[in-house]
Amino acid sequence: MRLLTWNIQCGKGCDGVTDLARIVRIARETCDADVFCFQEVSASFSRHDGGSDQSAELAALLPGYMPVFRPAIETVDRTGGLHRFGNMTLSRLPVVQINNHILPWPGAGTGRSMRRHALEVTIEAAFGPVRIVNTHLEYHSVAQREAQIMRLLELQEDASTSPKAPTRAPDEPYKSQTVAASSLMCGDFNFDVTEPQHAMIDRSSRSGLNYRDAWSVVRGGGQRSPTCGLYDHVQWTAGPDCRDFIFATEDLAGRLSKIDVNGQTDASDHQPVWIELADNMQVQRTRPDSG
């Protein structure tokens, strides 16, 4: 199973050109992914989208994948026009459950920030159901970001301490619901690997299955490939760093076989990150002292 996550910045590249076809082409060249997770997808809500529904465009560019778009923000203008902005997951593996979690927004009126969410799509992998959590945390506020992390950890604790197997009864609400304990959580977290917010996730010790940084599991504590700021020097004045991650629950650690970053493309201000999981368990790795 392969997954690719990418903050596509509404398809706007560092050359100032908005091109969703380029995004999809580079994503597919980077990794023949079973699941694509995109952040910053707009439907008439960005000056870069040209008034179009980017979720529909991405779905058309990826035939054979089930498209799931959910907004963090959804507003209606005075003419009745709908404007949406959020995350999108596309899967060619069977999808059995979809949930959209609106994340905490403390102090919403005290500074620049916006509503954030986590799109949760449960897919059937060869080794069982997995919840794919596609998220994008607040950039401007540490307090909001930490509150959002706590909510994500609560959702994982709830799922892994009371899982529910898929039953494929979509016409019956009580019987159809799925809660998978195993999870991959990915996206733009807007913290660097050296910041305390990273440790909140990677060193969590709640009941049930906890998340671990997949890069640390596969590659240890060595040099990381930057995931943003390589080419857009106007926005990322501090230079390149790592803000995009894939976290895997502890039970999936033995399946993680590859993880990498496409550092060559400038089709967005962030870089695509991809991971591969083996159908069979690999040799259990020892976690490094630092991640």
Side-chain angles (χ1 to χ4, degrees), residues 2-6 8 19-38 58 61-62 65 90 262 265 267 271-274:
R2 298 183 183 90
L3 175 147
L4 181 143
T5 180
W6 194 4
I8 64 171
D19 189 343
L20 289 180
R22 174 173 62 178
I23 289 289
V24 170
R25 174 177 56 80
I26 291 171
R28 301 194 79 163
E29 290 174 354
T30 300
C31 173
D32 181 25
D34 298 295
V35 182
F36 290 105
C37 295
F38 297 131
L58 289 167
L61 289 165
L62 283 164
Y65 288 76
L90 300 101
N262 180 340
T265 181
Q271 310 303 126
V273 184
W274 66 275

